[in-house]
Amino acid sequence: EPCSGCRGRRERSKQGTVKRRLALAALLYLLFMTGELVGGYVANSLAIMTDALHMLTDLSGIILTLLALWLSAKSPTKRFTFGFHRLEVLSAIISVLLVYILMAFLLYEAIQRTIHMDYEINGDIMLITAAVGVAVNLIMGFLLNQSGHLHSHSHSHSHVPQLNSPTTAPSSSHGHSSLAVRAAFVHALGDLVQSIGVLVAAYIIRFKPEYKIADPICTYVFSILVVFTTVRIVRDTGVIILEGVPRHLNVDRIKEDLMKIEDVYSIEDLNVWSLTAGKTAAIVHLQLVPGSSSKWEEVQSKARQLLLNTFGMYKCSVQLQSYKQEMSKTCASCHSSSA
């Protein structure tokens, strides 16, 4: 079992790489967003302008992610004894909500253009700006995708939890990767798809100006993609906030493996939840078989190794008690009600 110092150094190294990549992505977003705003205004293209507005939400999401990663490294306090890990989840929620708000605005503007058709678009400027947008978003997707992998606590790229082996920790790229980095990556994918749509629309408008309806159509397609690409993030953040069991873990399997430990009589209680994505905590209350109280240290050590190494827990607490025969007890209130 690696010591806490080794785990801390590995975590700081991974987060340092993530922060550098996210900072570079934020700088690229800022530079291109400014250029896209100018290009969209000159071309009078709603698709270009709204793509720039979406990049603004992506930029704010990355800034929130960097803030969350910085705060999550802070030591726990007397008030926040678990630390600030869930600020990462909060930043992911805010980032996704910003996209939903923008999506409603884009749909309204697109509908107005579709109804009235009282606009003209400079196809040349739109085409150049859209082409640059595709290139920039490809770079963004690569940076954020690499950040997500580096922030992962698993060396496997499989999307299926490996729960069949009792000697290896279950691994799931989605289950362990940073939700906030994933949110930023999803935004980059949405930007890329929209930029490709804008590029196609710009090509059509450049050579067939009468088909300028292609400009608001890009917004309709983008809105549908946003819903499909953010549902999973919303679901995962909801599970964390409600303190549900992470998708890559099976509580029944954990109980079965704990019961296989010698001198364990029963599992009185087991709670598993996530502090944030990739940081799972567990509390288990075990009852020892009769006459094995002297072996409690050995049982506790085996249970901790199982939870930390096999199931990849970030924190765990193992409580032990001697065997006690359950007896049916009733209080005075129950006696009086049954009388």
Side-chain angles (χ1 to χ4, degrees):
E1 178 184 346
C3 69
S4 59
C6 292
R7 288 198 298 266
R9 284 192 294 271
R10 284 201 297 265
E11 183 69 17
R12 287 191 293 271
S13 176
K14 290 176 182 178
Q15 286 200 1
T17 305
V18 171
K19 290 175 184 178
R20 287 191 293 272
R21 288 182 180 273
L22 287 177
L24 178 58
L27 179 61
L28 289 174
Y29 266 132
L30 179 62
L31 292 175
F32 181 68
M33 183 187 70
T34 304
E36 199 171 35
L37 283 172
V38 175
Y41 177 79
V42 174
N44 193 31
S45 169
L46 175 63
I48 295 292
M49 293 289 287
T50 51
D51 190 34
L53 289 175
H54 183 225
M55 279 198 171
L56 178 61
T57 66
D58 294 342
L59 177 61
S60 65
I62 290 178
I63 293 173
L64 285 170
T65 300
L66 290 169
L67 177 64
L69 291 174
W70 176 68
L71 290 174
S72 68
K74 293 286 187 178
S75 300
T77 65
K78 293 181 179 179
R79 185 172 185 181
F80 300 98
T81 56
F82 275 113
F84 300 90
H85 300 295
R86 286 196 175 172
L87 282 173
E88 189 179 23
V89 179
L90 181 61
S91 70
I93 294 173
I94 294 174
S95 185
V96 171
L97 285 177
L98 284 173
V99 173
Y100 284 160
I101 293 171
L102 179 60
M103 180 179 68
F105 171 76
L106 297 183
L107 283 173
Y108 174 79
E109 292 296 327
I111 291 171
Q112 292 299 312
R113 283 204 167 189
T114 303
I115 293 173
H116 300 294
M117 297 294 291
D118 54 351
Y119 60 94
E120 296 295 332
I121 297 175
N122 188 320
D124 291 327
I125 297 178
M126 183 180 179
L127 186 62
I128 294 172
T129 307
V132 175
V134 171
V136 170
N137 281 302
L138 283 171
I139 297 173
M140 294 299 181
F142 175 78
L143 284 175
L144 295 173
N145 187 41
Q146 292 301 309
S147 297
H149 286 167
L150 287 164
H151 197 65
S152 171
H153 295 265
S154 167
H155 297 288
S156 170
H157 294 276
S158 171
H159 298 290
V160 181
Q162 305 297 319
L163 296 176
N164 296 326
S165 173
T167 58
T168 57
S171 60
S172 171
S173 177
H174 287 296
H176 292 277
S177 61
S178 164
L179 274 175
V181 175
R182 280 171 53 195
F185 177 62
V186 167
H187 293 180
L189 289 181
D191 275 341
L192 177 60
V193 173
Q194 186 180 8
S195 294
I196 293 174
V198 171
L199 181 61
V200 173
Y203 185 83
I204 295 173
I205 293 171
R206 168 64 180 80
F207 296 101
K208 297 285 185 179
E210 63 272 19
Y211 294 140
K212 61 183 180 180
I213 189 67
D215 189 65
I217 285 177
C218 290
T219 303
Y220 299 139
V221 175
F222 165 70
S223 300
I224 295 173
L225 290 173
V226 163
V227 173
F228 282 106
T229 54
T230 56
V231 165
R232 193 168 192 174
I233 292 175
V234 172
R235 181 186 62 192
D236 288 350
T237 53
V239 169
I240 291 175
I241 292 173
L242 295 174
E243 297 189 337
V245 179
R247 287 185 297 123
H248 66 284
L249 291 177
N250 187 319
V251 173
D252 291 333
R253 178 61 188 275
I254 297 175
K255 288 183 177 180
E256 289 175 5
D257 287 358
L258 286 171
M259 286 298 298
K260 292 177 182 178
I261 298 176
E262 188 177 359
D263 297 318
V264 172
Y265 177 78
S266 67
I267 299 174
E268 296 297 303
D269 194 21
L270 174 62
N271 297 106
V272 179
W273 73 99
S274 290
L275 300 177
T276 185
K279 288 183 170 62
T280 306
I283 295 177
V284 61
H285 184 187
L286 303 177
Q287 191 175 67
L288 301 179
V289 298
S292 61
S293 300
S294 60
K295 300 180 181 179
W296 70 269
E297 289 186 359
E298 182 181 351
V299 174
Q300 186 182 61
S301 177
K302 289 180 179 179
R304 283 181 55 82
Q305 288 182 17
L306 180 72
L307 294 172
L308 293 174
N309 297 339
T310 303
F311 292 99
M313 300 293 177
Y314 176 71
K315 288 179 179 291
C316 71
S317 176
V318 180
Q319 302 173 0
L320 302 175
Q321 75 172 53
S322 301
Y323 171 78
K324 292 182 180 179
Q325 185 175 2
E326 293 186 2
M327 298 180 63
S328 178
K329 295 181 179 180
T330 54
C331 63
S333 177
C334 294
H335 278 298
S336 62
S337 63
S338 62

